């Protein structure tokens, strides 16, 4: 029974910052990748950032230089620090986990999502 629970979403002014967190419960293999996807209104879901078992990150072009993905030492919490937020960052953000670690990968586990609104 794997659960991913996001928190930290909310409303922020353009140019501001927000930090999302994802709490993992249950078992996933230690080699699994974790990451963040988002879905904006009227758009398809897209990968934002992923981080592998060695804590090596990869980012979508839209996130590079502004967003930072990280894991805690116990690998039970995932973070996404979002700076210099833009209107187009408004979306539901999902925490994900899966066996591959590409932005285009299919992920086995998804959280329920947390809303980020930039205005």
């Amino acid at each position: 029974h794997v659960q991913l629970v996001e928190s930290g979403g909310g409303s922020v002014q353009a140019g501001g910052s927000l930090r999302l967190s994802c709490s993992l419960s249950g078992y996933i293999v230690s080699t699994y990748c974790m990451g963040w996807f988002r879905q904006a209104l009227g758009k398809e879901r897209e990968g934002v950032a992923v981080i592998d078992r060695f804590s090596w990150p990869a980012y979508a072009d839209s996130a590079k230089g502004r967003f930072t993905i990280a894991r805690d030492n116990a690998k039970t919490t995932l973070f996404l620090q979002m700076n210099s937020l833009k209107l187009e960052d408004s979306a539901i953000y999902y925490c994900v986990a899966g066996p591959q670690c590409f932005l285009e990968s299919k992920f086995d586990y998804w959280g329920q999502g947390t809303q980020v609104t930039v205005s």
Side-chain angles (χ1 to χ4, degrees), residues 36-89:
W36 294 92
F37 275 60
R38 69 185 181 188
Q39 186 167 22
L41 187 64
K43 305 291 185 180
E44 294 186 356
R45 285 194 296 269
E46 61 175 347
V48 178
V50 293
I51 187 164
D52 69 11
R53 55 179 161 168
F54 305 113
S55 296
W56 189 262
Y59 299 95
D61 288 342
S62 60
K64 288 177 182 175
R66 300 188 299 122
F67 292 7
T68 302
I69 188 171
R71 277 171 148 166
D72 71 346
N73 290 334
K75 307 295 179 66
T76 56
T77 308
L78 182 72
F79 304 97
L80 185 68
Q81 178 67 45
M82 303 185 292
N83 298 325
S84 302
L85 283 161
K86 304 174 180 179
L87 294 178
E88 53 263 41
D89 294 319

Side-chain angles (χ1 to χ4, degrees), residues 12-54:
V12 65
Q13 295 294 115
S17 297
L18 207 59
R19 191 190 197 201
L20 305 183
S21 298
C22 171
S23 177
L24 166 69
S25 63
Y27 173 78
I28 60 170
V29 296
S30 61
T31 55
Y32 261 39
C33 176
M34 296 187 71
W36 294 92
F37 275 60
R38 69 185 181 188
Q39 186 167 22
L41 187 64
K43 305 291 185 180
E44 294 186 356
R45 285 194 296 269
E46 61 175 347
V48 178
V50 293
I51 187 164
D52 69 11
R53 55 179 161 168
F54 305 113

Side-chain angles (χ1 to χ4, degrees), residues 102-118:
F102 300 96
L103 291 170
E104 302 83 5
S105 298
K106 295 282 189 178
F107 288 85
D108 296 333
Y109 302 105
W110 291 69
Q112 80 289 344
T114 186
Q115 178 70 50
V116 172
T117 302
V118 184

